[in-house]
Amino acid sequence: MDAMRMNQGNVSQCPIIEEDLNADAARFFDLLKDSDEPLWDGCTNQGKLSAVAQVFTIKSDHGLSEAGYDKIIEWVRSILPEGNRLKENFYPAKSMMKPLGLG
């Protein structure tokens, strides 16, 4: 029992085991990356994930069709800076939101 407690509280001596991520974990980490990625370089108030989530909310709250969603995105992308990271239409946005159970 004392041998088991020897490293207790000393994380630096615990072995780190690297494993390949399963598909669900990989999608989750991609989602985390999207939440940290700004909508465009220099954007400080909107991340890629939050922008897509907000447009999904508008679509849901107002009963918009996929075509309506795509029209809004087309217009928004036209006024955003070149190289913005907003998904270009409903299907890539839906794929992005799928790990949250929203796609």
Side-chain angles (χ1 to χ4, degrees):
M1 188 63 111
D2 287 334
M4 291 174 62
R5 291 189 186 137
M6 189 167 39
N7 288 334
Q8 187 176 359
N10 193 350
V11 176
S12 65
Q13 293 182 357
C14 293
I16 296 175
I17 301 170
E18 293 193 27
E19 298 179 19
D20 291 333
L21 297 176
N22 67 34
D24 289 336
R27 282 191 296 272
F28 176 74
F29 282 109
D30 286 344
L31 200 59
L32 286 178
K33 187 184 96 188
D34 287 338
S35 71
D36 286 338
E37 190 173 0
L39 194 51
W40 67 85
D41 293 335
C43 179
T44 59
N45 65 344
Q46 193 69 257
K48 190 166 97 173
L49 179 63
S50 65
V52 168
Q54 288 176 15
V55 181
F56 255 69
T57 299
I58 292 168
K59 178 189 181 311
S60 175
D61 287 351
H62 299 284
L64 292 177
S65 65
E66 291 173 20
Y69 179 98
D70 289 349
K71 278 298 193 185
I72 289 172
I73 294 300
E74 180 183 336
W75 174 74
V76 170
R77 287 177 55 88
S78 76
I79 63 173
L80 288 176
E82 194 76 27
N84 70 77
R85 296 173 187 93
L86 186 62
K87 296 293 185 181
E88 58 275 2
N89 61 44
F90 180 74
Y91 287 104
K94 182 179 177 181
S95 295
M96 182 180 176
M97 301 299 284
K98 200 168 199 159
L100 294 175
L102 301 173

